[in-house]
Amino acid sequence: MPTRTAAQLRAERSAAYDAYLAECPARKLLDRISDKWVSLAVNALADGPHRYSDLQRRLASVSQKMLTQTLRNLERDGLITRTVRPSVPVRVDYQLTELGHSLLPVMQAVKTWAEQHMDEVEHARSTYEARTPGEA
């Protein structure tokens, strides 16, 4: 068997991913990045590093627990970095990694699409609810 490079091995493994299968790691990643707080946090970090309190203000109505969990998961997946700066009080900054930046266009497109089409979705919902009372 011929020797393969690390890049070739990664390509072979990734070719085997099928997000339609429940046990596929790509499916778990889709679950993660489809979360509303992940989408909003990634978009909020688009313009550079932010402190935790900045993100909490920007992501209106996110609980402290949910923001902490979201940021930890993003860091674990390699999408953001968490940098602790020694000061009084301690300063913690969150920033997108190169991998996080590669996800940004998708997240920005979804956010923009939702904002641009909300009126149409609301109209469709109203039409549906008028046709099927009590099922909404």
Side-chain angles (χ1 to χ4, degrees):
M1 177 183 255
T3 304
R4 293 174 297 200
T5 67
Q8 288 170 322
L9 290 171
R10 279 193 304 274
E12 288 172 16
R13 279 195 311 269
S14 68
Y17 294 144
D18 182 351
Y20 289 112
L21 301 174
E23 66 279 357
C24 180
R27 185 172 191 162
K28 291 177 175 72
L29 182 57
L30 282 173
D31 286 343
R32 169 80 33 85
I33 63 175
S34 65
D35 178 84
K36 73 176 174 184
W37 297 119
V38 167
S39 175
L40 293 171
V42 168
N43 276 296
L45 291 167
D47 58 351
H50 287 280
R51 296 176 74 171
Y52 183 94
S53 57
D54 297 334
L55 291 169
Q56 194 166 34
R57 275 191 299 277
R58 185 105 188 254
L59 279 61
S61 80
V62 67
S63 69
Q64 182 176 348
K65 178 182 176 183
M66 186 53 66
L67 181 56
T68 298
Q69 182 179 331
T70 299
L71 294 171
R72 274 194 195 129
N73 287 335
L74 289 171
E75 183 180 12
R76 179 178 177 261
D77 289 343
L79 299 172
I80 66 169
T81 58
R82 178 181 182 268
T83 305
V84 179
R85 303 191 192 289
S87 62
V88 179
V90 173
R91 180 184 171 109
V92 179
D93 290 315
Y94 296 90
Q95 183 172 5
L96 291 174
T97 62
E98 186 176 327
L99 185 60
H101 276 286
S102 72
L103 179 62
L104 188 56
V106 175
M107 294 301 194
Q108 287 175 326
V110 170
K111 177 181 171 287
T112 299
W113 183 91
E115 292 167 346
Q116 290 176 346
H117 294 281
M118 197 60 234
D119 289 340
E120 294 165 78
V121 171
E122 288 291 343
H123 176 71
R125 287 176 180 171
S126 296
T127 302
Y128 177 86
E129 289 169 7
R131 280 195 324 258
T132 55
E135 290 186 29

